[in-house]
Amino acid sequence: MNARRTRRTMWLALVAAPAMMLVACSSAGDTTGGDGGGDADAGTVQKLSLAHSYNEDQPQHRCGAQVIADEVNAAGVGLEIEIFPSSQLGGDADRIASVASGDIDIDIQGASALGAVYEPISVLDSAYAFDDADHLATFMASDASDTVTADFEEASGVHTMGAWSAGARQFTANTAIRTPEDLEGLRMRFPGSPQFLMNAKALGAEATEVAYEELYLALQQGTVDGQENPITNIVASNLKEVQDYVSMSSHQLNTNLVIVGPVWDELSDEQQQALTAATETAVTEVTSCVAEDEEALLEEWRTGDDWEVIEDVDRDAFSEKAEEYLSGVLTGDSLTVYEAIRSTAK
């Protein structure tokens, strides 16, 4: 047994117990007839669960998950997708385990969260790794991305159907942030994953870990001075009530991957093709939806009184600082992935 297989076996053993708690919530493998393996008899429908952590107003749901479900349900290949939004089937870590064990069929996850299974894939969430959504699309179409997703599948048994950007992450605070020096002395909330904490150091920020659900209260009470999130998340969390400035640093793409567990190998070629095609359509739709939503929101912010929008952020200073740091601390396959991403930049 090679080292990667050994790691996968150990990881699955560790997550098997909590994953079993979600068995009742999943519709994996639920059919109205047939013998499984994707070769259901005519007229039978296999139900698949699709989970994510976003609310139903966000692009990841209405232009992503919903599009996948609608496209697959209309394809006539004997599949029906039921969506479970807003972490109904558990938080990110729980859902990764449940996808690997087969208790959830399909999930939408951030790259950094998947790093708990296969560390190099979290590099997709590195600060300034991608220039924009087009750069992400270019990388995902390259042989280098095939290597990353294949190694992730070997380590976890989880197949990647596609990836989209849910917008670039921006800083908010009660002071303007234009340069790395402006972060000095500020307690900035970052998610607690290793990649996000690495990004904080790369950008020159003092990271404070706060759960997303507790972010508004932490800002309101002054536990943290600022935070970073995509524009749509900033709106969804109503941060305009507790922050004054949004600084357009665009320091990281909010990359989501659409993953599918062991049920993938049970599907027919026709069903796999339908799922893949539906995901490709959703990737395009989410990209357009995010761009439209962000532009509308920014225009509202620029002309309104809720935010002072700081657009003269020195992104070159931030990106150069991040690249110097990440090139020095990433090693092995993680460094290879980072260099491959940067090599596909225009």
Side-chain angles (χ1 to χ4, degrees):
M1 179 180 292
N2 63 33
R4 185 174 289 122
R5 291 292 186 187
T6 301
R7 289 196 300 270
R8 176 187 171 191
T9 300
M10 293 174 64
W11 178 77
L12 286 174
L14 287 171
V15 303
M20 289 301 292
M21 296 175 65
L22 294 173
V23 172
C25 296
S26 173
S27 58
D30 180 17
T31 67
T32 57
D35 58 1
D39 295 322
D41 295 333
T44 65
V45 176
Q46 181 175 3
K47 294 183 180 179
L48 303 180
S49 54
L50 191 167
H52 63 76
S53 59
Y54 305 99
N55 68 48
E56 295 182 54
D57 292 331
Q58 290 181 278
Q60 295 96 320
H61 176 85
R62 56 187 173 83
C63 303
Q66 192 62 60
V67 167
I68 293 172
D70 291 345
E71 292 283 317
V72 170
N73 294 351
V77 294
L79 293 177
E80 179 181 329
I81 292 181
E82 183 177 7
I83 305 173
F84 296 87
S86 304
S87 300
Q88 290 179 21
L89 301 188
D92 288 346
D94 291 333
R95 295 201 319 275
I96 295 170
S98 295
V99 172
S101 66
D103 296 323
I104 294 174
D105 297 313
I106 304 169
D107 198 17
I108 299 171
Q109 283 278 358
S112 57
L114 298 181
V117 183
Y118 177 63
E119 184 177 343
I121 202 167
S122 67
V123 175
L124 273 66
D125 272 344
S126 293
Y128 290 105
F130 293 106
D131 295 343
D132 50 32
D134 288 340
H135 183 192
L136 171 63
T138 298
F139 175 74
M140 291 306 298
S142 71
D143 291 341
S145 79
D146 291 341
T147 300
V148 177
T149 56
D151 287 348
F152 169 66
E153 185 167 0
E154 185 177 354
S156 65
V158 175
H159 178 74
T160 302
M161 294 191 293
W164 60 58
S165 167
R169 300 177 78 92
Q170 318 293 350
F171 289 123
T172 71
N174 288 324
T175 184
I177 299 171
R178 292 183 170 88
T179 69
E181 289 73 27
D182 291 331
L183 289 170
E184 294 177 5
L186 295 180
R187 295 162 298 177
M188 298 295 292
R189 179 268 178 183
F190 279 75
S193 75
Q195 186 60 59
F196 276 94
L197 297 178
M198 186 183 299
N199 288 348
K201 291 181 180 179
L203 296 166
E206 178 186 340
T208 300
E209 297 179 41
V210 175
Y212 182 72
E213 296 77 13
E214 301 170 5
L215 175 57
Y216 181 96
L217 186 61
L219 289 166
Q220 185 181 52
Q221 295 181 342
T223 305
V224 292
D225 301 308
Q227 62 88 52
E228 49 84 62
N229 255 301
I231 289 172
T232 54
N233 286 12
I234 292 170
V235 172
S237 299
N238 210 26
L239 298 188
K240 66 182 181 181
E241 296 183 351
V242 289
Q243 299 271 265
D244 296 330
Y245 295 83
V246 56
S247 298
M248 303 299 293
S249 53
S250 299
H251 55 269
Q252 177 200 329
L253 287 194
N254 206 48
T255 303
N256 293 151
L257 291 93
V258 184
I259 58 175
V260 56
V263 72
W264 176 256
D265 293 326
E266 302 170 10
L267 302 178
S268 67
D269 289 344
E270 184 183 32
Q271 290 171 328
Q272 289 182 351
Q273 290 168 9
L275 265 174
T276 301
T279 302
E280 290 173 352
T281 299
V283 167
T284 301
E285 291 291 329
V286 169
T287 302
S288 297
C289 282
V290 168
E292 291 170 4
D293 286 4
E294 288 191 343
E295 186 54 40
L297 289 166
L298 277 171
E299 184 60 28
E300 181 180 326
W301 289 355
R302 292 180 184 118
T303 57
D305 298 325
D306 291 332
W307 292 97
E308 184 167 345
V309 181
I310 307 301
E311 304 198 60
D312 59 338
V313 176
D314 191 347
R315 294 179 187 169
D316 288 342
F318 276 112
S319 64
E320 289 168 8
K321 184 178 183 68
E323 185 166 8
E324 181 180 1
Y325 180 85
L326 292 169
S327 297
V329 299
L330 293 172
T331 59
D333 290 344
S334 294
L335 179 59
T336 299
V337 173
Y338 179 76
E339 291 175 339
I341 291 172
R342 293 309 305 152
S343 71
T344 56
K346 292 181 181 179

